[in-house]
Amino acid sequence: MVNIEIPKHYTASPSSFSGTPHLTINRDATVDLDSSNAFEGPEKLLEVWFGPSPSALPECTVPGGLKAVSSEVWKDMLDIVNCKVLSTVESEHVDAYLLSESSMFVFPHKLILKTCGTTTLLCGLPRILEIAALLAGFPHVQGNPHKSIATAATPYRVFYSRKNFLFPNLQRGPHRSWRDEVKSLDRLFLGGSAYMIGKMNGEHWYLYLTAPNTVLTPPATPNGRETETQILEIPKIMAAATVNGLKVDEGQDETLEILMTDLEENNARQFYLENASAVAEGRYFQRVHGSRPNGQSRARLVEGSEMENVHISGNGITNGNGYTSADGFDVFSNTSSDYSDINSDEEDLIPAELTTEGHALGTTVSETCGLADVYPTSKFPDARIDAYLFTPCGFSANGVVPAPEGKTGTHYFTVHVTPEPHCSYASFETNVPGRQTGRQTAEVVEQVVDIFKPGRFSVTLFETKPDVAEVESLGGDLDALAAIKSLERQAARRSARMENIRGYRRVDRIVHDLDGYDLVFRYYERDDWKGGAPRLGEGP
C-alpha cells in the first residue's frame, strides 16, 4: 500500500550519505499554522558575519563555529523574534531552517535570518551575539547590562536590509520605522552606515551595514550620534572594491535578491492550498490509473495545471525532487520505482497530506510552478528543496545547493510568497555564484519572474571584487591584473544584459560602492502594467 505519512521522529532521507543534505521536521510547530494574517510580505533580512570565511575562523572558536550550536538554542532565540522552526535541512557547510515566517541559514562563520510579517527580528540580535560568544567561542566582550546582554561576540560585519513596508503601522518593536531600526542597530555597533536606495516617492530599499572588523558600541552612550540615512538616487560610477580587511573568500561572495509585488492573479493562484491540493490530486490519480491498462483517470484538474514528473511507487509518491521511503514521506529522495503493488481498494483514496497544508503540497508546488528547475538536480545532483504550503495560502521554501563535482562549498536559495491580491508579494534570494550555474544573472531573474509574473519588481545584486589599485600597490602581478580585468569585463556584460529583462522595462538603476561591495539596484515594471503608482505604505 501507499504510505506517505511523515514519521514522527523522522530525521533524515533514507538515501542520505556524507555530504548530502538531510531533513528534520518539527511537527509541533506545523499544527494549526495559518497564514491568513501574515500579509506583510516584504522581509527583514539580517546577515551577521563572525569571521571572514569558514576556513578562517578565530583560533578560539569551537569546531564548526555557529553550526556547533544546537537547534534548540536557535529555536529559543527565534521565540524572541516571534517565529517557529518548521523543518531543518542539515548539510556539511550550512544548516537551513524553514520558519513559520521565512528562513534562517547557519554557516560556521555567519548567520542569515530573514523574517516577514510582524516579526521582531532585531530583538533577537543581542541574543545572537551572546550565543556566538558563549556557545560558538567567537571573540567577545562583556555585554551591556542595560541591554540584558551578559556577553557579546564582536562581529566581523553586519548587514541589515529590507524593502519599504506596505503596512508599517502594524509592525512592532524597533520595526515601526527605519529610523527606529537604525537607532536599534547603533546601540549595538559603532560606525554603521544607513542608506535608502531608490526613489523617495517610489519603490525603495533600506540598507544598514558595518565596516569590516565591527566594533561594539560601549555601554555608556546616552547621547551618541544617530547614524544619518544617506539617500542614493543618482547612479554612481561603479568603483572597484577595496580588499583590505575584507573576507578571504569575498571574491566568491555574491547575493541576488528579487522582490516582486502585484503578482499576476493566475500565477499567484498556484500558492493557494485549494489549488495545490486539486493539482496534487489530479497528478496522483493520473499516475495511479495510468498504471492500469483499463484504468480511467478521475482527476479533478485545475484549468491550465500541469501533471507531470510525478511517480507513484510501492514505497510512496516520488517526484522530481523525490519523496518517499518505506516508512513514510521524504521530500529529498531522488529515486522512483514501479507502483504495481498499490492496493486497489485504496487507490481511490486521496492521501491526507495532499489535501492539507504542509511539506507534501509544498513539494508539489515547488515542482509545478517551476521553482525546482531554477537549480535543477541534473546540474546540481545534491541540491535539495524544503518547501511548505500554508493555510489558506502562502508558500515558503529553502534550497540547499552543494557545488557541482570538482567545486567546494554549499550555497542556498530561499523563496517566500504572499499571494493575496491586496498585498501580493514574492521574494527570491540566492548566493549561488553565477559561474557555477553557467547562466547569466539576467537568465535566472527571467526564470524566477516568469513563475510569478509580477506587475513590478526590484533586483539587488551584491558582489565583491578585488581592487586593481590594491594589486598594483602590492607589486602589480600581471596575471592577477589580467584576471581582475577579465572579471570586470564579464561584470560589464552581465550588467548590460540586465537592462533587457523579457517582458519588462527597466525604470530605475542605481550603482554604489559600499565599503568593499558593489551594490546594483534595479527596478522594473511589466510592459503591459497599468496598475498605477507603487503602493508605498512607508515613506523615507
Side-chain angles (χ1 to χ4, degrees):
M1 66 182 274
V2 176
N3 174 18
I4 67 167
E5 181 183 2
I6 304 171
K8 293 183 179 179
H9 303 294
Y10 183 72
T11 58
S13 164
S15 62
S16 293
F17 56 89
S18 178
T20 299
H22 65 272
L23 173 73
T24 300
I25 296 175
N26 180 3
R27 297 179 66 88
D28 292 337
T30 63
V31 175
D32 297 326
L33 206 56
D34 193 323
S35 65
S36 301
N37 296 319
F39 52 81
E40 182 63 79
E43 300 98 342
K44 314 164 184 83
L45 174 59
L46 175 68
E47 188 165 338
V48 187
W49 293 65
F50 292 98
S53 74
S55 59
L57 299 179
E59 291 184 1
C60 58
T61 308
V62 302
L66 295 174
K67 272 178 55 63
V69 177
S70 74
S71 60
E72 294 305 314
V73 171
W74 294 126
K75 289 176 183 177
D76 288 342
M77 181 276 294
L78 291 169
D79 284 342
I80 302 172
V81 177
N82 291 297
C83 59
K84 299 293 183 182
V85 174
L86 302 181
S87 52
T88 309
V89 179
E90 298 177 358
S91 70
E92 181 181 358
H93 301 104
V94 59
D95 294 336
Y97 292 77
L98 192 65
L99 308 179
S100 54
E101 282 83 12
S102 300
S103 303
M104 181 174 73
F105 299 90
V106 180
F107 296 80
H109 65 303
K110 68 179 179 181
L111 178 143
I112 300 171
L113 179 56
K114 187 170 191 173
T115 65
C116 60
T118 57
T119 50
T120 51
L121 185 152
L122 290 179
C123 292
L125 180 53
R127 177 59 178 153
I128 292 172
L129 300 180
E130 189 174 43
I131 291 170
L134 298 179
L135 300 178
F138 284 98
H140 56 272
V141 298
Q142 289 304 113
N144 185 344
H146 299 292
K147 301 185 180 72
S148 300
I149 309 173
T151 305
T154 52
Y156 180 72
R157 295 203 76 164
V158 177
F159 302 84
Y160 175 72
S161 63
R162 65 171 176 83
K163 182 186 177 296
N164 53 292
F165 289 135
L166 296 176
F167 309 100
N169 57 305
L170 298 178
Q171 292 298 318
R172 296 180 290 173
H175 299 290
R176 292 187 177 91
S177 72
W178 175 245
R179 183 174 181 177
D180 287 346
E181 289 171 316
V182 171
K183 286 181 178 179
S184 178
L185 290 161
D186 280 347
R187 292 191 192 102
L188 292 170
F189 311 116
L190 282 178
S193 300
Y195 302 87
M196 190 191 83
I197 302 169
K199 295 181 178 180
M200 296 177 66
N201 60 344
E203 295 281 350
H204 51 274
W205 186 72
Y206 297 104
L207 171 68
Y208 181 100
L209 76 164
T210 65
N213 300 308
T214 301
V215 178
L216 295 176
T217 301
T221 55
N223 299 313
R225 181 180 65 86
E226 177 183 336
T227 298
E228 180 181 354
T229 297
Q230 303 177 47
I231 299 174
L232 305 180
E233 292 188 83
I234 302 175
K236 300 186 178 184
I237 298 175
M238 183 176 290
T242 185
V243 296
N244 279 337
L246 293 181
K247 48 188 175 292
V248 173
D249 62 347
E250 71 168 9
Q252 303 176 16
D253 185 34
E254 59 182 79
T255 301
L256 170 69
E257 189 174 30
I258 309 171
L259 307 178
M260 298 162 276
T261 59
D262 303 287
L263 311 183
E264 205 283 327
E265 288 193 19
N266 286 332
N267 292 63
R269 195 172 297 130
Q270 302 173 93
F271 304 97
Y272 279 78
L273 188 144
E274 182 179 9
N275 184 91
S277 180
V279 171
E281 179 184 335
R283 299 171 75 183
Y284 176 83
F285 275 131
Q286 183 190 48
R287 293 301 179 180
V288 169
H289 292 279
S291 68
R292 305 178 184 281
N294 299 320
Q296 295 182 353
S297 174
R298 286 164 294 148
R300 292 190 298 109
L301 303 181
V302 175
E303 183 177 358
S305 66
E306 297 291 337
M307 293 176 42
E308 56 188 26
N309 298 326
V310 167
H311 308 278
I312 307 298
S313 74
N315 292 327
I317 299 181
T318 305
N319 56 41
N321 273 333
Y323 53 91
T324 194
S325 71
D327 296 324
F329 170 85
D330 175 12
V331 298
F332 291 153
S333 171
N334 284 319
T335 62
S336 64
S337 59
D338 70 274
Y339 36 82
S340 57
D341 60 344
I342 296 178
N343 190 317
S344 60
D345 293 334
E346 298 178 354
E347 65 178 12
D348 295 338
L349 299 178
I350 305 299
E353 283 77 8
L354 299 185
T355 61
T356 57
E357 72 165 68
H359 292 84
L361 285 182
T363 300
T364 296
V365 172
S366 70
E367 292 180 335
T368 57
C369 76
L371 175 61
D373 299 325
V374 177
Y375 300 110
T377 53
S378 59
K379 185 172 181 62
F380 301 92
D382 291 326
R384 298 293 182 263
I385 299 177
D386 178 17
Y388 194 98
L389 188 71
F390 295 88
T391 299
C393 61
F395 174 83
S396 287
N398 285 342
V400 175
V401 187
E405 185 177 354
K407 295 181 171 55
T408 59
T410 298
H411 301 90
Y412 72 89
F413 71 88
T414 182
V415 177
H416 303 283
V417 185
T418 301
E420 294 94 326
H422 67 286
C423 57
S424 63
Y425 172 85
S427 68
F428 174 91
E429 179 188 341
T430 184
N431 72 340
V432 178
R435 66 186 179 283
Q436 287 190 5
T437 67
R439 296 185 297 167
Q440 293 193 24
T441 302
E443 295 176 287
V444 175
V445 172
E446 287 179 338
Q447 185 172 2
V448 171
V449 167
D450 192 54
I451 294 172
F452 302 97
K453 295 275 194 306
R456 40 190 150 216
F457 68 94
S458 63
V459 175
T460 56
L461 179 63
F462 265 103
E463 289 185 291
T464 53
K465 299 178 183 179
D467 189 352
V468 174
E470 177 70 14
V471 174
E472 290 176 339
S473 70
L474 296 175
D477 182 278
L478 295 180
D479 290 339
L481 288 171
I484 292 172
K485 292 293 186 182
S486 175
L487 288 172
E488 289 178 341
R489 288 192 295 271
Q490 293 175 33
R493 287 194 293 270
R494 290 197 304 270
S495 179
R497 175 67 176 82
M498 283 291 293
E499 295 299 296
N500 299 287
I501 300 298
R502 184 176 58 249
Y504 290 82
R505 60 185 181 278
R506 200 266 298 158
V507 177
D508 206 359
R509 175 177 178 268
I510 297 171
V511 183
H512 195 65
D513 174 27
L514 295 172
D515 195 6
Y517 283 84
D518 281 333
L519 167 65
V520 185
F521 171 90
R522 292 179 174 90
Y523 169 65
Y524 301 82
E525 291 184 353
R526 203 169 64 218
D527 289 338
D528 62 351
W529 175 248
K530 296 181 176 22
R535 295 174 297 176
L536 293 182
E538 176 183 19

